[in-house]
Amino acid sequence: MKRLLMWLPLLAAPLAAAPDDSLLGVTLMQNKTGQSLGVPMQILLLLTLLTLLPAILMSLTPFLRMIVVLHFLRQALGTQTAPSNQVLVGLALFLTLVVAGPVGEQVYQQSWQPLEAGQISSAEAWDRAVGPVKTFLLRFAREKDIRLFVELSHAEPPTSPADVPLSALAPAYVLSELKAAFQIGAVLFLPFLIIDLVVSSITLSVGMVQLPPVMVSAPFKILLFVLVDGWNLVVGSLVRSFY
């Protein structure tokens, strides 16, 4: 106990020597726009944002629709692991950059560049960044889904689309994108399902039970997909669905 009391002054020395507006790195610094957070706190917030970035990328961008549709396509072809998950994720990521690139460029010019130059505060930069993002999400979020999450959050009904809170708009966008992705996936399944039915009926009628019908129909499905230039059609339709 005595040793612990001897160490207490040394432990309290950094806090006593710190300025009144500083505690564990949370400091306020003066800049052109007033006071802002200190560098340690900015680093902590940046690292926290980086941990949430993968979830934001997968849920609040066109990546969600792209990866779900590509997964349905692979299941419909019956190729199991070809293309691999890495290839599908990479393709979905590049398609996402094509679709959401203008929104990111707009956020960078309106929000990040003025903040980096010290012309606006972090709060104003956030307000400028939220505007283009909400406009993009509102284009694809269904009114039914938005109404659901506004009611679940017990928030006041918005008077205009711009007044929809981001806490209700984000999950509504996810639900709307899942619905659109499943609709596209169901349409992709139909031609390959017909091939499976035809092949299975033929193999059973001739009594060929040595091979499963799925294995017999797989080459025909791949051949049909290649002949119609399926990758070009699927990728082109996916990108055009956002316009």
Side-chain angles (χ1 to χ4, degrees):
M1 185 67 181
K2 292 182 178 180
R3 292 183 178 180
L4 180 60
L5 294 176
M6 292 173 59
W7 282 100
L8 285 178
L10 296 177
L11 295 175
L15 297 178
D20 296 337
D21 58 349
S22 174
L23 179 60
L24 299 179
V26 183
T27 59
L28 293 177
M29 301 185 305
Q30 294 290 337
N31 58 14
K32 298 179 181 179
T33 59
Q35 291 184 335
S36 64
L37 292 176
V39 175
M41 192 60 183
Q42 292 180 10
I43 295 175
L44 177 62
L45 293 177
L46 179 61
L47 293 177
T48 304
L49 182 61
L50 288 177
T51 58
L52 298 176
L53 186 60
I56 296 174
L57 176 64
M58 290 187 294
S59 302
L60 299 181
T61 62
F63 182 87
L64 177 60
R65 185 188 302 187
M66 305 287 187
I67 195 64
V68 173
V69 171
L70 292 177
H71 174 74
F72 272 115
L73 176 62
R74 187 174 65 180
Q75 293 296 319
L77 286 172
T79 54
Q80 301 300 324
T81 58
S84 63
N85 291 331
Q86 292 82 357
V87 174
L88 294 183
V89 170
L91 178 60
L93 182 60
F94 284 116
L95 295 178
T96 301
L97 293 177
V98 172
V99 176
V103 180
E105 184 68 22
Q106 188 177 1
V107 171
Y108 177 77
Q109 293 179 356
Q110 295 183 3
S111 176
W112 180 256
Q113 282 186 340
L115 177 65
E116 192 176 19
Q119 300 174 357
I120 59 176
S121 62
S122 57
E124 187 176 354
W126 169 258
D127 293 336
R128 292 189 180 187
V130 167
V133 174
K134 289 181 65 174
T135 302
F136 177 80
L137 298 181
L138 283 169
R139 289 174 53 192
F140 306 103
R142 298 188 305 165
E143 183 179 353
K144 180 180 180 181
D145 295 329
I146 296 175
R147 187 184 305 112
L148 171 64
F149 285 101
V150 169
E151 293 176 355
L152 292 177
S153 61
H154 302 287
E156 296 182 0
T159 58
S160 64
D163 296 332
V164 178
L166 194 60
S167 58
L169 181 58
Y173 172 81
V174 174
L175 285 188
S176 302
E177 285 297 285
L178 286 176
K179 176 180 173 60
F182 272 68
Q183 288 176 338
I184 299 174
V187 174
L188 285 175
F189 252 102
L190 291 178
F192 302 109
L193 179 61
I194 294 175
I195 294 178
D196 285 332
L197 291 175
V198 172
V199 171
S200 62
S201 62
I202 293 175
T203 54
L204 291 177
S205 63
V206 299
M208 188 173 58
V209 295
Q210 293 83 3
L211 292 176
V214 175
M215 184 176 296
V216 178
S217 63
F220 294 99
K221 292 190 290 187
I222 296 175
L223 182 61
L224 173 64
F225 190 72
V226 172
L227 289 177
V228 300
D229 198 4
W231 288 112
N232 185 281
L233 292 176
V234 171
V235 171
S237 300
L238 267 178
V239 175
R240 293 189 189 96
S241 66
F242 287 94
Y243 297 101

